Amino acid sequence: MTQTSGELPIEEIVRRKVCGHLAAIYPDRDREEIARELLRAMRLDEDCQTPQSHRNLWDQTDMVVITYADTILSGDRRPLQALHHFLKEHFTMLINSVHILPFFPYSSDDGFAVIDYKQVDPALGDWNDILRISTDFHLMADLVINHCSSQHRWFVNFQEGKDPGRDYFLAVDPSENLSGVVRPRTTPLLRAVSDGDETRFVWCTFGHDQVDLDFRNPQVLLEMVDIVRLYLDMGVRIFRLDAVAFLWKKIGSRCINLEETHEIVRLLRTLIEHADPNAIIITETNIPNRENLSYFGNANEAHCIYNFSLPPLLVNSLVSGNCRHLKNWLMSMPPAQNGTTYFNFIASHDGIGLRPVEGLLSDDEQEALIQTMENFGGQISWRALDDGNRKPYEINISLFDALKGTTAGEDQWQLQRFTCAHAVMLALEGIPGFYLHSLVAGTNDCRRMAEHGHNRAINRRQWQEGDLNRKLADPDSHHGKVFRQLRHLIRVRRNQPAFHPNATQFTLHLGEQIFAFWRQSMDRRQSIFCLNNISDTPQTVLLSSINLIGTDKWKDLISGRHFEDMLGSVTLAPYQTLWITNQ
């Protein structure tokens, strides 16, 4: 039976909501007709669910592994099957979600120049492999929404004047003033396309093989919604909206974070949550912190936003031995209201972004960080500025190598520093996301970077499953040591209500070498004081400075150590973490 709300059928309520979104996006179009097509594409005319407002779709057991489909290779299995086998062997009952980076046929950018959104790359497997993974893990997949490959059928048809695709892309007069357009790359914004009789210049935010789609044409939106429906049918529960901040273009504007872009996110939220109330949207917006926060909307846009400022600020703290900027940032972050939360990560398939620390780190501090990362084998990727100059955009380096020392050089604390970084991520408000290479302590892959010809390949190593398993089982290898310690931290986190992604969080002030914060469970029964020594020297903390209540019994969840003298002190070794709890 159709669900209802009040006197109106739920289908009618959703139709009106969709029309409201469309009125803001396409004020001069027939929104009733577009709404009918959208609802039909999502099958909401057949089965329309009622999502619960401000409901948390996650708890402290939710964690994500981020990986390419072909990170794990095995001679007798297809890559998706090998990945599934590896995940089940090592992460069952530990990590319940997996983000498989684009697994579609592609032409460049390791999957983000999609040739066909509706196929699984045959070199990786097929939709049955995806469905099998989705039965064992919550599946997160990319909706590469801003652009497609220049080899996509739509763009081929655009060049030939055929449908579908003839009017799916944005052609611009190169004499227009486009100097204010925000760019994440240094390549020219426009690509010349000639059919013999006419040359057109199409918009390419990320590069000439990744041609931007023109969402001013409602048919492009309909195509994307049809793809969303397919992904839901194939078991996708979490939608990562790739590069969504650049979606809408207006000549004369910065062409980023425009109101139409936000409205399209709100529309997708309405359609997806009424098709599956348990589905989640995450916006990938690698932009300054305040702009990033805007994608929460009023709990009506993204369920989760990436905490893009966390990786560079945390790495900076650990290599400088000073957490002042990290602490100031944490104090400035608003608590996510119920139904929304942060997606925390400290490493990914891309680099350590520098745009998210604009206004947080000074130019000199950024330069010191960049120099340190280059000393540890890192590379720098650049973006173009409107004055024709360029500026560092991201640091490309494996996180394990990024933390092999401090600004003073390499030292003996790499393993401890690396573990501390993950302990911080696990304890913060939000859902933690582990890049698979970090879970296994992968190092810089300079050979792959040279072979592929781009900096990001330095942190995209492929592993033979048997070889990696041997490294993880070896008690003397750094891979095995890190893996065991991170698995221990994950097990501990899963059982703590105070680590719920929406549990209370307050920043503590214990100096610039101790990064500390307090978490309290939503029922207020459990407190956890998270103390992290981010320096290479021991640090002593008075227990009275964190106000442990004398009537409670306190212990460190990581080591099992008990604290009975509330007027005493505790000394943290370099890069040690304590999770002091009353339960």
Side-chain angles (χ1 to χ4, degrees), residues 67-358:
T67 180
Y68 279 100
D70 57 357
T71 293
I72 305 297
L73 302 176
S74 175
D76 58 348
R77 298 186 181 94
R78 294 186 293 193
L80 279 167
Q81 294 171 348
L83 175 64
H84 190 193
H85 182 265
F86 183 84
L87 293 172
K88 286 203 301 181
E89 181 177 0
H90 293 291
F91 301 120
T92 298
M93 302 303 294
L94 278 179
I95 297 179
N96 63 0
S97 304
V98 57
H99 173 199
I100 305 179
L101 291 153
F103 45 80
F104 320 105
Y106 70 96
S107 55
S108 64
D109 198 16
D110 281 357
F112 286 92
V114 179
I115 294 175
D116 189 340
Y117 291 91
K118 295 186 174 183
Q119 283 190 30
V120 175
D121 186 341
L124 303 174
D126 56 31
W127 281 117
N128 286 326
D129 296 317
I130 294 295
L131 281 167
R132 279 189 283 269
I133 292 173
S134 73
T135 63
D136 291 320
F137 298 89
H138 300 319
L139 178 60
M140 178 172 166
D142 291 273
L143 185 66
V144 185
I145 192 171
N146 178 71
H147 50 263
C148 68
S149 167
S150 64
Q151 296 181 33
H152 194 290
R153 178 172 62 103
W154 295 338
F155 191 65
V156 173
N157 287 349
F158 170 82
Q159 295 174 85
E160 298 175 354
K162 299 177 181 178
D163 288 321
R166 179 169 51 92
D167 49 3
Y168 282 14
F169 301 91
L170 180 60
V172 179
D173 184 339
S175 66
E176 294 277 8
N177 181 7
L178 303 175
S179 61
V181 175
V182 173
R183 299 295 317 289
R185 301 288 187 272
T186 57
T187 53
L189 175 63
L190 302 181
R191 167 184 169 171
V193 177
S194 177
D195 61 6
D197 299 322
E198 177 187 13
T199 298
R200 291 174 290 177
F201 296 85
V202 294
W203 196 292
C204 300
T205 297
F206 289 88
H208 287 183
D209 188 42
Q210 293 168 290
V211 191
D212 286 42
L213 293 157
D214 186 1
F215 277 83
R216 297 177 306 171
N217 179 355
Q219 191 60 41
V220 173
L221 176 63
L222 285 165
E223 295 274 18
M224 278 295 160
V225 169
D226 188 57
I227 292 165
V228 167
R229 180 67 257 184
L230 171 65
Y231 292 179
L232 282 169
D233 292 341
M234 293 296 108
V236 174
R237 180 187 168 190
I238 308 169
F239 290 83
R240 177 185 184 268
L241 304 189
D242 177 65
V244 69
F246 300 94
L247 200 64
W248 198 272
K249 283 83 176 175
K250 283 183 182 176
I251 303 300
S253 77
R254 298 171 69 240
C255 297
I256 188 171
N257 305 324
L258 297 184
E259 180 53 36
E260 289 87 349
T261 293
H262 282 282
E263 196 65 48
I264 288 175
V265 176
R266 289 191 281 267
L267 170 61
L268 291 173
R269 166 76 176 260
T270 295
L271 294 171
I272 289 172
E273 69 181 3
H274 283 283
D276 181 355
N278 294 313
I280 294 170
I281 290 176
I282 298 182
T283 48
E284 188 267 331
T285 46
N286 190 359
I287 51 181
N289 193 53
R290 187 175 297 275
E291 297 173 34
N292 188 32
L293 288 168
S294 69
Y295 283 87
F296 274 142
N298 185 24
N300 61 351
E301 293 189 38
H303 295 87
C304 306
I305 62 171
Y306 277 78
N307 238 337
F308 274 108
S309 296
L310 177 60
L313 286 176
L314 182 55
V315 170
N316 181 71
S317 294
L318 288 164
V319 301
S320 70
N322 189 308
C323 66
R324 176 166 57 93
H325 295 302
L326 182 63
K327 185 165 59 175
N328 289 340
W329 164 77
L330 191 66
M331 288 189 292
S332 73
M333 295 296 284
Q337 58 180 300
N338 284 333
T340 65
T341 195
Y342 296 103
F343 184 70
N344 295 323
F345 73 108
I346 52 177
S348 75
H349 62 291
D350 292 338
I352 300 171
L354 294 173
R355 288 214 69 204
V357 292
E358 292 177 4

Side-chain angles (χ1 to χ4, degrees), residues 514-559:
I514 297 289
F515 179 55
F517 49 94
W518 171 67
R519 303 296 308 279
Q520 184 184 56
S521 61
M522 300 174 80
D523 62 8
R524 300 187 179 182
R525 293 180 180 178
Q526 184 186 31
S527 288
I528 302 178
F529 292 89
C530 306
L531 311 182
N532 305 275
N533 180 0
I534 52 84
S535 77
D536 57 5
T537 57
Q539 300 293 322
T540 299
V541 175
L542 296 175
L543 293 177
S544 59
S545 66
I546 57 175
N547 296 320
L548 300 185
I549 300 172
T551 56
D552 288 347
K553 295 182 178 180
W554 298 90
K555 69 175 181 180
D556 173 29
L557 289 165
I558 298 174
S559 67

